[in-house]
Amino acid sequence: MTIYQGTAQALPNIALIKYWGNRDQQLRLPSNPSLSMNLAGLTTTTTVEFDPALMQDVLMLGGRAISGPGLERVSRFLDQVRHMAHSRHFARVDSRNNFPAGAGMASSASGFAALALAATAAAGLTLSEANLSRLARLGSGSACRSVPGGFVEWAMGEDDRSSYATSIAPANHWNLYDVVALIDLEHKSIGSTEGHAIAATSPLQAARIATVSDRLAQARSAVLARDFEALADVVELDSLMMHAVMITSSPVLMYWQPATIAVMQAVRQWRANGLAACTTIDAGPNVHVLCTAAAASEVAIRLRVIPGVRQVITAGVGGPARLIPNP
Ligand code: PMV
């Protein structure tokens, strides 16, 4: 009996310009374009094997068997791959992160990027980067940005075919760092899928979307010019605009904790005093402190002593999702 196997590694990404809200919830077509960088050293490694002997898909996350909604989401995703490969075989999926999942570290981005690459390889398919990015998007919107390497832009597109991410600059273009202040290591209560679905209930979402193209253009130019000062202001503004939408949604999504605000305020002060650092926050309480290479170790030292900061992780800019040898 033949068993078809593929193993891939992908990195999470941190959005400099945020994706929040979908035009089409099923296809995860975003309400706005976004820009991110991949995070080096934080990896999701996923092995998929399609096995004719299996009676259903099997999912292992970090060595633990997963059932219920987590397995259903992965099974629905694998249905897309089965459809493309004209296969009916179920799969065994073994996925591991080397960082905490579910607390704003975007494990779904690296997770679905790695799954898309491992599953298509296991099914004998070779997809272009654009098609792999589109496929990953169906699992988790931000996953489409973890397929290409370095600094990545997700153009909204008009439909399923045209909504995917491409690299605007490779990882070695700019030695930026993301020093992450982990404030809560628990799994978040309301995930981004539900969050996207209620974004439009906030009266501020329309204003955020009406102005995002300008912020994206500013952020893109700042990245291409390696201009940290220009990047810092627009990154903080865009993150705050997304959280303003979250806080004014129905139901309210308040991800911040007291330590989240303490870190934001400290970093603003540090920047005013000449340290090249700024903050951005995803759907969780952790604060991503973006900074230049020269500032990274000082930022990490200062973050560690802020009360409520449980752990600090430093990541540079990382490359694309890639296939690796099977275990
Ligand atoms: O890909 P999702 O559905 O987990 O959405 C990600 C949303 C944010 O992380 C909050 C913003 C972003 O652009 O990554």
Side-chain angles (χ1 to χ4, degrees), residues 181-232:
L182 294 173
I183 284 161
D184 190 343
L185 307 179
E186 298 301 306
H187 214 278
K188 61 199 175 201
S189 51
I190 299 187
S192 43
T193 298
E194 292 112 295
H196 293 299
I198 61 163
T201 63
S202 164
L204 303 186
Q205 171 74 340
R208 190 186 74 86
I209 288 174
T211 52
V212 74
S213 311
D214 290 348
R215 290 191 298 281
L216 179 68
Q218 274 178 49
R220 189 197 298 119
S221 312
V223 166
L224 294 177
R226 304 184 191 92
D227 181 343
F228 189 83
E229 260 176 57
L231 185 67

Side-chain angles (χ1 to χ4, degrees), residues 13-22 28 34-36 73 104 106 108-109 137 139-145 154 188 191-193 196 242-243 246 255 281-284:
N13 65 74
I14 180 67
L16 309 173
I17 298 296
K18 304 296 190 187
Y19 145 57
W20 195 246
N22 286 325
R28 298 182 193 267
S34 53
L35 180 72
S36 59
R73 186 168 172 188
S108 66
R137 190 200 77 228
S140 174
S142 60
C144 77
R145 297 189 313 236
W154 176 12
K188 61 199 175 201
S192 43
T193 298
H196 293 299
M242 179 181 74
H243 284 272
M246 291 166 160
Y255 289 112
I281 303 165
D282 281 343

